Amino acid sequence: MDLSTYKFPEVTKADLAFPTFNTPKELVSEAEKRNPQKGMKKFSELFYKGGKFDFKDDVKGTWKENAFMYARALMGSWAPKHEHKELVVGMILEECLVL
């Protein structure tokens, strides 16, 4: 799957405050194939301790910006299974952040 062609949902400020997103099966499947260990480690660090984002140069104004906003909302959402959330967010973080 090419993530650059995936239609990530639009994320509003309200979505960040009260996230209700789920993990689509196709993203979970792709993340399982990629096994994003570095991204999952960064997810755990950000989720449990907080921290700083260091974006790759090509994030702003691209599909990666939408993907990152979706990942931020997904991190705080109660709906998905934690292991699915961790996989999908880890995969997106590997695309968007300098790890």
Side-chain angles (χ1 to χ4, degrees):
M1 168 190 270
D2 181 1
L3 291 180
S4 68
T5 61
Y6 186 81
K7 180 78 169 126
F8 289 96
E10 181 119 2
V11 177
T12 66
K13 290 180 182 179
D15 292 326
L16 291 174
F18 306 104
T20 58
F21 289 104
N22 213 331
T23 50
K25 290 179 183 176
E26 60 270 15
L27 286 181
V28 173
S29 178
E30 181 63 20
E32 286 172 339
K33 289 180 201 168
R34 293 184 185 203
N35 193 21
Q37 293 300 309
K38 287 182 182 178
M40 289 166 57
K41 183 177 178 186
K42 184 67 172 179
F43 167 84
S44 292
E45 175 187 316
L46 293 170
F47 188 81
Y48 294 111
K49 299 177 187 172
K52 182 180 165 206
F53 303 124
D54 292 319
F55 290 106
K56 291 181 179 178
D57 292 336
D58 63 345
V59 172
K60 189 169 175 120
T62 68
W63 67 269
K64 291 182 180 182
E65 189 170 21
N66 291 338
F68 179 75
M69 292 303 291
Y70 170 73
R72 281 190 58 198
L74 190 59
M75 283 176 74
S77 184
W78 291 95
K81 289 183 174 183
H82 184 77
E83 57 270 17
H84 290 171
K85 179 170 39 174
E86 188 177 32
L87 272 168
V88 171
V89 171
M91 175 178 66
I92 294 170
L93 294 182
E94 284 188 357
E95 292 285 341
C96 299
L97 301 181
V98 176
L99 301 177

